[in-house]
């Protein structure tokens, strides 16, 4: 399968499942809170449901990667996204909202591992890192799009989610038509070799977990923080998600940077950038410069670092690329699930300033972990 053709199919699907179905919640949170009267703690718990659902789904995707075709799993992801977005749009209570967030979150978990398998079996080895990175950058496209739609729709969050649902239907139809219908399943490697792969993945697992905890605060509460600051121009709150999304396009260069400077250096660069975004927001939230620089750093580094984690994981789990992609994303989501609840509790007790400073500190600690080539 042509790499460009696969990117044109995969990037929009990731945009839908990540940007529209998962990360749009933080963007819409101020409007949803106004309608459903939720506390910060409740908002954090509902946000965590998306990550819990993601964890369940990504485990399922990895388990069935050798039994079901990637195309089948991706169709299931698209259907869950459509249903989840529809439920969110009609929710009248936090319980109904949580159900929609959960279903939409499952679509995210199912969508990433199958593309890693398709890339591994259908794209030339020299182009695989960059193909994975560009598909992964769909997160930034979806995030920027949600921000642009939110600006146009203002506080009409229900109608916005209906628009997202219609887009999800179109993207699912395109993937159904383009993706390969057949798939060859490789024989499992020896147990000893798989155990060696798991030993090599320990630092990857810990790094992904801490990055998830650190980034959860930004995804869930950054916009709610900014729009409620009197000293910040209103347009910065409106354009926050657009800046994050457009900056995330730089994350598509992860494959190029890795090929030139290596996984270890790429990981350190993106970790420092991601953590600095939270540090700036917690330290100088009223500065218009920080209002642009912080989301720019966060958007570019988040997509970049997830691209690094993909390449790191696939390079460790060479016998099963779905596990190589799924495991770091699973740990990232577990960290984000715990981090969302933790962030809601911290914000409710100590305020947003303290929350983002703590989040940045956790991110900086992650620098101690490093990729070791086999």
């Amino acid at each position: 399968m042509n790499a460009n053709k696969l990117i044109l199919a995969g990037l929009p699907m990731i945009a839908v499942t990540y940007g529209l179905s998962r990360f749009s919640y933080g963007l819409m949170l101020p409007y949803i809170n106004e309608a459903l009267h939720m506390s910060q703690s409740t908002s954090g718990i509902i946000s965590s449901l998306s990550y819990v659902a993601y964890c369940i789904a990504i485990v399922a995707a990895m388990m069935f990667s050798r039994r079901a075709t990637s195309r089948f799993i991706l169709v299931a992801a698209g259907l869950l996204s459509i249903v989840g977005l529809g439920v969110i749009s009609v929710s009248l209570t936090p319980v109904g909202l949580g159900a929609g967030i959960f279903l939409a979150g499952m679509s995210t978990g199912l969508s990433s591992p199958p593309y890693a398998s398709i890339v591994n079996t259908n794209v030339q080895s020299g182009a695989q890192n960059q193909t994975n990175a560009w598909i992964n950058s769909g997160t930034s496209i979806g995030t920027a799009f949600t921000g642009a739609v939110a600006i146009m729709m203002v506080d009409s969050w229900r109608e916005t989610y209906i628009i997202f649902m219609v887009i999800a239907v179109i993207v699912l139809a395109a993937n159904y038509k383009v993706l390969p219908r057949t798939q060859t399943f490789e024989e499992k490697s020896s147990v000893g070799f798989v155990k060696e792969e798991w030993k090599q993945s320990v630092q990857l697992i810990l790094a992904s977990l801490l990055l998830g905890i650190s980034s959860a605060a930004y995804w869930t509460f950054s916009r709610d923080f900014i729009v409620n600051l009197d000293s910040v121009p209103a347009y910065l709150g409106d354009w926050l998600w657009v800046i994050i999304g457009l900056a995330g396009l730089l994350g598509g260069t992860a494959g190029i940077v890795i090929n030139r400077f290596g996984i270890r250096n790429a990981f350190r660069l993106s970790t420092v950038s991601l953590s600095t975004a939270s540090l700036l927001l917690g330290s100088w939230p009223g500065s218009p410069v920080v209002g642009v620089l912080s989301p720019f750093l966060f958007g570019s580094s988040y997509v970049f670092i997830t691209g690094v984690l993909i390449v790191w994981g696939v390079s460790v789990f060479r016998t099963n690329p779905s596990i190589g992609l799924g495991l770091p994303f699973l740990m990232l989501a577990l960290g984000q699930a715990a981090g969302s609840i933790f962030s809601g509790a911290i914000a409710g007790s100590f305020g947003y300033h303290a929350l983002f400073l703590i989040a940045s500190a956790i991110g900086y600690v992650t620098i101690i972990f490093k990729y070791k080539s086999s």
Side-chain angles (χ1 to χ4, degrees):
M1 185 177 184
N2 181 273
N4 291 333
K5 188 176 181 180
L6 180 56
I7 291 172
L8 289 175
L11 190 151
M13 177 64 87
I14 297 300
V16 166
T17 57
Y18 279 80
L20 277 61
S21 299
R22 185 179 180 189
F23 293 132
S24 63
Y25 173 71
L27 170 67
M28 301 297 176
L29 185 57
Y31 310 128
I32 295 174
N33 274 342
E34 186 177 338
L36 302 185
H37 309 291
M38 300 187 301
S39 67
Q40 291 171 327
S41 178
T42 301
S43 300
I45 292 172
I46 290 177
S47 178
S48 74
L49 292 176
S50 173
Y51 300 113
V52 171
Y54 177 92
C55 294
I56 295 171
I58 205 165
V59 169
M62 290 188 291
M63 288 177 60
F64 289 101
S65 64
R66 294 184 183 275
R67 301 176 187 176
T69 65
S70 296
R71 182 171 180 268
F72 177 86
I73 296 173
L74 286 167
V75 168
L79 291 173
L80 283 167
S81 177
I82 292 167
V83 174
L85 291 169
V87 171
I88 293 171
S89 70
V90 299
S91 60
L92 300 176
T93 65
V95 174
L97 176 66
I101 293 293
F102 184 86
L103 290 172
M106 289 195 73
S107 76
T108 315
L110 290 179
S111 62
S112 290
Y115 284 119
S117 294
I118 295 174
V119 169
N120 185 62
T121 56
N122 293 276
V123 176
Q124 293 181 344
S125 58
Q128 288 181 3
N129 285 352
Q130 193 58 21
T131 301
N132 276 322
W134 277 115
I135 291 174
N136 183 58
S137 70
T139 300
S140 63
I141 300 291
T143 302
F145 181 79
T146 60
V149 172
I151 290 172
M152 292 185 290
M153 300 294 289
V154 194
D155 59 349
S156 302
W157 62 273
R158 296 187 188 277
E159 291 82 355
T160 300
Y161 274 108
I162 291 174
I163 293 173
F164 292 167
M165 181 180 66
V166 172
I167 293 171
V169 171
I170 296 171
V171 171
L172 173 59
N175 272 262
Y176 183 82
K177 182 177 181 179
V178 169
L179 295 178
R181 296 176 179 272
T182 59
Q183 182 174 336
T184 301
F185 297 98
E186 298 177 0
E187 294 295 327
K188 293 182 181 179
S189 300
S190 63
V191 174
F193 188 74
V194 172
K195 284 184 178 179
E196 183 62 29
E197 291 177 339
W198 280 99
K199 290 179 182 178
Q200 293 176 6
S201 71
V202 172
Q203 298 216 39
L204 170 64
I205 290 172
L206 294 175
S208 301
L209 184 66
L210 287 183
L211 286 171
I213 294 173
S214 175
S215 63
Y218 212 102
W219 280 122
T220 306
F221 292 112
S222 60
R223 187 167 188 270
D224 195 46
F225 182 26
I226 288 179
V227 298
N228 286 296
L229 287 173
D230 295 332
S231 58
V232 175
Y235 68 85
L236 286 179
D238 293 337
W239 285 88
L240 181 71
W241 242 237
V242 177
I243 296 172
I244 290 174
L246 292 178
L249 291 175
L250 294 175
T253 64
I256 298 173
V257 176
I258 290 170
N259 288 338
R260 182 163 185 177
F261 299 104
I263 294 175
R264 186 179 301 184
N265 290 328
F267 175 76
R268 288 172 176 169
L269 172 66
S270 50
T271 299
V272 170
S273 180
L274 187 75
S275 305
T276 301
S278 292
L279 176 64
L280 291 173
L281 187 59
S283 301
W284 300 281
S287 167
V289 174
V290 170
V292 175
L293 181 59
S294 175
F296 178 85
L297 287 174
F298 184 82
S300 58
S301 57
Y302 184 85
V303 175
F304 189 99
I305 205 166
T306 53
V308 172
L309 294 177
I310 289 173
V311 177
W312 186 349
V314 171
S315 69
V316 170
F317 291 93
R318 297 184 181 276
T319 60
N320 192 334
S322 287
I323 292 180
L325 185 148
L327 181 64
F329 274 33
L330 170 63
M331 301 313 298
L332 188 71
L334 282 173
Q336 288 171 328
S340 295
I341 298 174
F342 172 77
S343 296
I346 293 296
S349 300
F350 303 103
Y352 284 135
H353 292 272
L355 168 62
F356 288 105
L357 291 176
I358 293 171
S360 69
I362 294 172
Y364 284 126
V365 169
T366 312
I367 300 173
I368 66 174
F369 302 111
K370 56 187 178 181
Y371 168 77
K372 294 181 180 180
S373 58
S374 54

